[in-house]
């Protein structure tokens, strides 16, 4: 797993209180990890902070899975 | 008329994370008050409080038992305490598994005096330092007072009345009284009722200290600081925690063979119409609330065996005692009266509920909890049994709880052993 993936996973586990092995790139925040829309807002804020990246609302709306988040961060951070 | 009984109890207090630990420590004369550890209080006038201990402490509270990790992160501690106490009460009542029909007739009335002050304080600093885009999306619903009732209803599927009282330090007593009326009025068969508070945070301590309400002169002797009716009392000590009871319509409880602790027989309410923080010197508001509660209960002065006083360890103790004497007689007609705030501090919006539970346990175990630190009783206490220092076995059939709050709001509750 990439460094980004590890750090994303850690944030998701901490915020959603889910088992680490459930947090794989295919996992949907809402369908698989029990998040609601406000949890996703909070997660996006945490990603912004961790990676120093800005995730505008229209981009955040397209982040449905853990993999979507990793991909967005890898393409836009730094 | 529909009768209302208590079939479940839940407590989170500075003396324990559950009912039996709290009660055993209270009867043993333990104090839950100590130096503030939740934050660095070294620049505060008051540096002590009755904190709920962590799970590593023998009397500690383990939030993980009944509250999801995710919810713990999103909400203020008063909501965590409230959810846990409500869960304890439902488990005690044997009502964690209800039918759809029962759930439609089961509600919540769990309030708080202040609500999520620590979270408001932190997010406010966050807003100013880092801007509006960094404010948590869970900020609002993680701090709102009615979100104990909201969270509990979601967790257990309770679709009956969803209510939350906010009457400062009378909240817990009003919550139980209002909920009992909802059952009596046939709005529900089961109500989770009580109150919670957790405001041991910098602005909470500073605010009450600035209002000259907190004890600031016993910082070096925390366990001696809360001393109701004692000559050396000098303000209240802040506590935190929650108390929740299961109230149930009597026939409903009987039909399912529930354990019945006591019946809620009397509820009285009044306003002082006098001052925002000080009680009326003549104590008429307190007296009216007690008289109303006794009248509704159909009891007379001699029927009350135990009074759990508001008794905050302030000058107001004298006013309350004078009012109790006018209602029950100069010797309280043989009743014992104690202030358990001497051991746990003042739980503000949680106080009335926690102390009503102590009244119920006094009836269950035929013992009255002590007023700690009452070594030098104030004038006017002669001939009154204030249960100094040690718990005492005695017959207890009916008990009265008093709760009075800022704004001049008064509530009295009477609970009685089932006939």
């Amino acid at each position: 797993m990439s460094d980004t993936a590890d750090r994303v996973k850690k944030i998701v586990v901490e915020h959603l209180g889910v088992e680490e092995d459930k947090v794989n790139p295919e996992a949907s925040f809402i369908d698989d990890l029990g998040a609601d829309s406000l949890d996703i807002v909070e997660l996006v804020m945490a990603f912004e902070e961790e990676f120093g990246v800005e995730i505008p609302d229209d981009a955040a709306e397209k982040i449905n899975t853990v993999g979507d988040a990793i991909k967005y961060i890898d393409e836009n951070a730094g | 008329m529909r009768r209302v009984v208590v079939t479940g109890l839940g407590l989170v207090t500075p003396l324990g994370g559950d009912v039996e630990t709290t009660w055993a420590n209270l009867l043993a004369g333990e104090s839950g008050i100590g130096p503030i550890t939740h934050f660095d209080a070294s620049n505060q006038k008051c540096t002590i409080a009755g904190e709920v201990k962590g799970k590593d402490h023998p009397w500690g509270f383990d939030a993980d038992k009944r509250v999801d990790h995710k919810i713990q992160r999103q909400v203020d501690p008063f909501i965590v305490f409230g959810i846990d106490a409500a869960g304890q009460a439902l488990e005690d009542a044997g009502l964690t598994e209800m039918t759809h029909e029962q759930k439609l007739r089961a509600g919540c009335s769990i309030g708080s005096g202040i609500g999520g002050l620590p979270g408001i304080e932190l997010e406010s600093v966050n807003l100013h330092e880092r801007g509006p885009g960094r404010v948590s999306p869970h900020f609002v619903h993680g701090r709102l007072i009615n979100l104990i009732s909201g969270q509990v209803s979601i967790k257990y599927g309770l679709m009956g009345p969803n209510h939350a009282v906010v009457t400062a330090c009378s909240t817990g007593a009003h919550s139980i009284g209002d909920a009992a009326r909802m059952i009596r009025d046939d709005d529900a068969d089961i109500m989770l009722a009580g109150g919670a508070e957790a405001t041991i945070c910098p602005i909470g301590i500073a605010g009450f200290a600035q209002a000259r309400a907190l004890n600031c002169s016993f910082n070096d002797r925390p366990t001696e600081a809360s001393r109701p009716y004692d000559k050396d009392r000098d303000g209240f000590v802040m506590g935190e925690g929650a108390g929740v009871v299961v109230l149930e319509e009597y026939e409903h409880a009987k039909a399912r063979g529930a354990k019945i602790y006591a019946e809620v027989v009397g509820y009285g309410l009044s306003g002082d119409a006098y001052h925002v923080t000080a009680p009326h010197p003549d104590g008429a508001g307190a007296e009216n609330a007690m008289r109303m509660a006794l009248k509704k209960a159909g009891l007379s002065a001699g029927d009350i065996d135990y009074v759990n006083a508001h008794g905050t360890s302030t000058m107001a103790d004298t006013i309350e005692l004078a009012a109790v004497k006018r209602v029950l007689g100069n010797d309280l007609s043989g009743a014992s009266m104690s202030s358990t705030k001497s051991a746990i501090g003042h739980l503000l919006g949680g106080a009335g509920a926690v102390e009503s539970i102590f009244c119920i346990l006094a009836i269950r175990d035929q013992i009255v909890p002590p007023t700690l630190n009452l070594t030098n009783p104030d004038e006017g206490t002669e001939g009154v049994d204030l249960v100094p220092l040690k718990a005492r076995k005695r017959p207890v059939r009916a008990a009265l709880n008093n709760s009075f709050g800022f704004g001049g709001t008064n509530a009295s509750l009477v609970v009685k052993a089932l006939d």
Side-chain angles (χ1 to χ4, degrees), chain B residues 327-375:
Chain B
V327 176
L328 297 186
N330 276 339
D331 63 349
L332 312 192
S333 301
S336 300
M337 167 162 139
S338 63
S339 170
T340 45
K341 290 186 179 77
S342 57
I344 59 172
H346 189 353
L347 270 66
L348 309 173
V354 169
E355 292 159 13
S356 292
I357 291 173
F358 293 158
C359 287
I360 291 160
L361 294 168
I363 291 170
R364 183 190 72 177
D365 293 346
Q366 301 289 292
I367 188 167
V368 289
T371 304
L372 301 188
N373 301 313
L374 183 52
T375 48

Side-chain angles (χ1 to χ4, degrees), chain A residues 26-41:
Chain A
E26 294 75 38
S28 153
F29 291 114
I30 291 177
D31 297 333
D32 301 319
L33 301 175
D36 62 21
S37 58
L38 292 180
D39 295 328
I40 294 180
V41 175

Side-chain angles (χ1 to χ4, degrees), chain B residues 33-66:
Chain B
I33 295 164
I36 290 172
T37 64
H38 291 351
F39 65 95
D40 176 7
S42 55
N43 64 349
Q44 298 267 354
K45 285 183 192 162
C46 167
T47 63
I48 58 172
E51 294 180 337
V52 168
K53 300 352 176 226
K55 59 183 168 190
D56 298 333
H57 192 282
W59 315 340
F61 165 67
D62 182 1
D64 296 334
K65 261 192 193 168
R66 295 183 186 84

Side-chain angles (χ1 to χ4, degrees), chain B residues 258-279:
Chain B
K259 159 186 67 185
I260 295 174
Y261 285 99
E263 181 172 3
V264 179
V265 288
Y267 177 35
L269 320 78
S270 71
D272 269 9
Y274 174 68
H275 188 264
V276 285
T277 60

Side-chain angles (χ1 to χ4, degrees), chain B residues 90 155 160 207 221 229 232 291 344:
Chain B
L90 273 178
K155 185 172 163 79
R221 288 173 290 158
Y229 310 105
D232 299 324
R291 287 197 192 282
I344 59 172

Side-chain angles (χ1 to χ4, degrees), chain A residues 14-17 34 38-39 41-42 45 48-49, chain B residues 69-70 73-74 130 133-138 141:
Chain A
E14 167 66 19
H15 281 252
L16 300 180
L38 292 180
D39 295 328
V41 175
E42 201 184 22
M45 285 171 61
E48 287 180 327
E49 191 138 322
Chain B
H69 172 84
K70 191 173 99 174
R73 284 191 66 262
Q74 295 173 353
R130 302 166 70 216
R134 306 314 303 173
V135 170
S136 165
H138 300 292
H141 54 268

